[in-house]
Structure formats: structure tokens, C-alpha cells
Amino acid sequence: MRVPVNLALCLSLMAGAALGQDVTVVVFISTVCPVSNNYNLRMKELYSDYAPKGVKFQFLNANQNESQMEMEEHARSVGFPFPVSKDANNVMADRLGAEYTPESFVIDREGAIRYHGRIDDAQNPARVRQNSLRQAIDAVLAGRVVPAPETKAFGCTIKRVRKAS
């Protein structure tokens, strides 16, 4: 799937020309969702493992019921080594079709979405059998086809801004 031009522009503005990177990972997260919070350590590990390899990360919070102040406090309290941006009015969530927290997307340098779905297949780290997001990042970095380009994300639904009818 190709990222629409206006999305590429949004990503570029938000991420400092992220599409110039070989791989850009977008992850929708929440401050209050217990499923998203079960992934805090794994998200930090993903960032620590792949940012040095040139992977650009965008962690976004699209929940209308979570304020910028709550996001900043949450990021500090859990020790995120990366910034979390507010997806105001669900612009990015709507364009990408994100529904849950956590939910991830891997975008290649041409702006094509190469992976969409879960981080891995189990909330409990001891039960993980498929590291879906890692496999997708590794494949794109190596110039290979992503083995499973779409997986079912699970977690809490994104609490969207009500749109005028």
C-alpha cells in the first residue's frame, strides 16, 4: 500500500524528513491502556535496538481523552528514551487506519507501508512466539519481503475526536 502524498508530508513535518530513512516505524500508544502499557519495556527495547541502525520512530498518542501533559508525565514516569507526539484530531490514525493501542506500521523509504499490525503476539513477554514488528523491520532493512505484512493488532481502541456530521 502506498502512503498518500499528504500523509508523506505529515510524516515528513512531524519526523524531520522521516521518509528519507530506510525504515520509519509509527506506533500508536496510550498512557492509560493496560495493553499498551504492557508493551512499554518492549517499545523501549525496539527503540534502543533499531534507532542506532538508522530506523526512525514516531510514537503517537491519538486518544482525545489523554492530554499533552498526561503524555509527557507518562513518558517520564516509564522512562521512554523517545518523544511521544500528540496526534491531534486523529489525523495520522485516520490516514493510516489505526484502531488500537499499541498498533504499528513500518514504512519504507519510498513511503510504502510494508507492515501493519501488532508488535508481537502476546501481552505476556514470556509467551511471545512471533516478534512481528521486529521481523518486519529486519526484512525491510535487509531489502527482503516482509513475511507477514499484516497482522491483527490488539489492545484498547483509540478514543477518537468526534467529527462533525
Side-chain angles (χ1 to χ4, degrees), residues 8-23:
L9 177 60
C10 289
L11 280 172
S12 178
L13 292 173
M14 288 178 64
L19 293 179
Q21 301 293 322
D22 287 334
V23 181

Side-chain angles (χ1 to χ4, degrees), residues 42 45-46 49-50 119 131-139:
R42 284 174 272 184
E45 290 170 346
L46 279 162
D49 291 348
Y50 289 102
I119 292 173
N131 283 295
S132 309
L133 180 55
R134 283 182 180 274
Q135 291 169 350
I137 296 169
D138 289 339

Side-chain angles (χ1 to χ4, degrees), residues 31-137:
T31 64
V32 296
C33 172
V35 179
S36 183
N37 284 322
N38 281 341
Y39 280 87
N40 289 342
L41 177 60
R42 284 174 272 184
M43 287 186 284
K44 290 190 289 189
E45 290 170 346
L46 279 162
Y47 181 83
S48 296
D49 291 348
Y50 289 102
K53 296 178 181 181
V55 174
K56 178 72 177 180
F57 284 86
Q58 278 294 298
F59 291 90
L60 301 175
N61 183 310
N63 288 319
Q64 60 86 20
N65 61 333
E66 297 175 34
S67 71
Q68 183 72 35
M69 185 180 298
E70 288 171 309
M71 287 171 34
E72 291 169 4
E73 176 53 36
H74 179 258
R76 266 192 304 279
S77 70
V78 300
F80 284 157
F82 48 78
V84 178
S85 300
K86 186 68 174 172
D87 180 18
N89 297 316
N90 314 116
V91 172
M92 298 296 287
D94 289 347
R95 291 188 193 278
L96 289 169
E99 296 180 30
Y100 302 100
T101 60
E103 187 167 353
S104 59
F105 297 81
V106 176
I107 303 169
D108 69 15
R109 84 170 23 245
E110 284 81 37
I113 297 174
R114 301 280 303 277
Y115 174 76
H116 166 223
R118 65 190 183 212
I119 292 173
D120 59 37
D121 64 347
Q123 287 185 57
N124 180 340
R127 293 190 173 167
V128 171
R129 298 292 175 256
Q130 291 287 321
N131 283 295
S132 309
L133 180 55
R134 283 182 180 274
Q135 291 169 350
I137 296 169

Side-chain angles (χ1 to χ4, degrees), residues 114 135-136 139-140 143-149:
R114 301 280 303 277
Q135 291 169 350
V140 176
R144 295 187 322 261
V145 173
V146 175

